[in-house]
Amino acid sequence: MIPPSWSYANNQAPILSPALGLSDMIRTSAIPVAAMLMLLQAVIRLGRGSLRALGLAVVLLGAIAVLLWAGQSLIIGIGNWNLVLFFVGLLGLGVLAGVPVGFSFGMATISFLLTTNAARPVSCSAPWIRA
């Protein structure tokens, strides 16, 4: 989750904003920073709970990750309906499980980006991109 988001932020470094000429890495670095902060907060919250709850959370999240990875081609194949799957399904599941809304949005967003490969760099010949 964190290495691909850092890679995405690094790939955006040559792109400059048209108005200020700032690197797009300034904007895209929010993704890995937010992922690390969410991970830190999750570890702190899990440290306060029981080992049984921690084990259950790890098994459940692992199963969801395996299902998403195994169904990656199917998820990409359904087009924009995969947004419904992630932002209604995963977000709703997270909120129903008692995960704070911000973390649920983060989990759904990062899962969407990593599963659909939407975080891959796009080649473009726009004039504000450095050669």
Side-chain angles (χ1 to χ4, degrees):
M1 155 169 97
I2 294 171
S5 60
W6 274 120
S7 175
Y8 175 66
N10 284 328
N11 288 334
Q12 297 299 314
I15 300 173
L16 301 176
S17 67
L20 298 175
L22 297 174
S23 173
D24 196 39
M25 187 176 185
I26 294 171
R27 179 186 62 85
T28 57
S29 63
I31 298 170
V33 169
M36 287 188 295
L37 290 173
M38 285 179 11
L39 184 62
L40 177 65
Q41 178 65 21
V43 168
I44 290 170
R45 287 188 69 166
L46 287 172
R48 295 180 188 158
S50 68
L51 285 177
R52 181 172 183 245
L54 175 63
L56 181 62
V58 168
V59 168
L60 182 62
L61 289 176
I64 291 171
V66 168
L67 285 173
L68 289 174
W69 179 77
Q72 186 174 13
S73 61
L74 176 66
I75 292 169
I76 292 172
I78 63 175
N80 286 338
W81 285 102
N82 58 24
L83 291 168
V84 173
L85 172 71
F86 285 98
F87 292 105
V88 173
L90 273 180
L91 179 66
L93 181 67
V95 170
L96 287 175
V99 177
V101 174
F103 289 102
S104 296
F105 267 111
M107 177 183 64
T109 302
I110 290 172
S111 299
F112 171 77
L113 290 173
L114 294 177
T115 302
T116 62
N117 292 326
R120 68 183 179 276
V122 177
S123 60
C124 179
S125 60
W128 54 83
I129 297 178
R130 282 189 244 156

